[in-house]
Structures are given as structure tokens and as C-alpha cells.
Amino acid sequence: LAANQGDREAAKKRDDVAAHLDADELASARDTVKSFVPEPQPQSAINVPVPHGGWDDATTTAPPPAKPRGGRAISANVSSLPLNIGAR
């Protein structure tokens, strides 16, 4: 679907996958993409009601951050970590 909308990376991945499919599988995949119809979004996801007092009401505050539960503290000192983590 993304490749059909101009996404170059998706087109490359599509072609990579297509190279591993036989003719019947490829035809089935193409038919599936052609017949795709997105489901309509629920109104509650599209139309969010304005909260009491409006969007700019500054009287509402966010809850305090959660306090860490037991266990040992994690240090933010990363200077002693090896620099080649994940290097290949």
C-alpha cells in the first residue's frame, strides 16, 4: 500500500518480497492489495469532545510522576560503558 503511494523504501521491500514468491502467491498478494479497503474510524477517535473549561484551561494539572518501586537505583553515569556496543 505504501509503495503504491510513492514510498520508495516500501517499493524496494515489496520487490524484495516479490522475488521470493511464486506466481500464484504474487498474484494473490497483488489482489489483496488491490482489494484493500480501510475500516472507517470510530467517531470517538475523530471527534474528541472539548474538555470542561476548554483546551486552554490551565487549572488542570498533570498527575505527579510515578515513584520508582524498590530495587537498586540506576546510575545515569554512562562514561564507563564501552563505546563499541552493538558494533559489528
Side-chain angles (χ1 to χ4, degrees):
L1 294 172
N4 290 344
Q5 295 177 3
D7 186 318
R8 291 181 190 161
E9 187 65 25
K12 183 179 175 186
K13 299 283 184 187
R14 175 203 58 207
D15 296 343
D16 290 345
V17 170
H20 291 74
L21 300 177
D22 65 34
D24 289 339
E25 292 170 327
L26 185 56
S28 176
R30 286 183 175 152
D31 289 343
T32 300
V33 170
K34 285 179 185 177
S35 65
F36 176 78
V37 177
E39 292 183 14
Q41 295 299 306
Q43 287 300 313
S44 61
I46 298 170
N47 299 313
V48 180
V50 176
H52 181 70
W55 292 109
D56 296 325
D57 181 14
T59 60
T60 305
T61 58
K67 295 185 179 181
R69 299 189 301 198
R72 67 184 178 107
I74 298 174
S75 172
N77 183 0
V78 294
S79 62
S80 63
L81 292 175
L83 297 176
N84 63 347
I85 295 175
R88 295 179 188 232

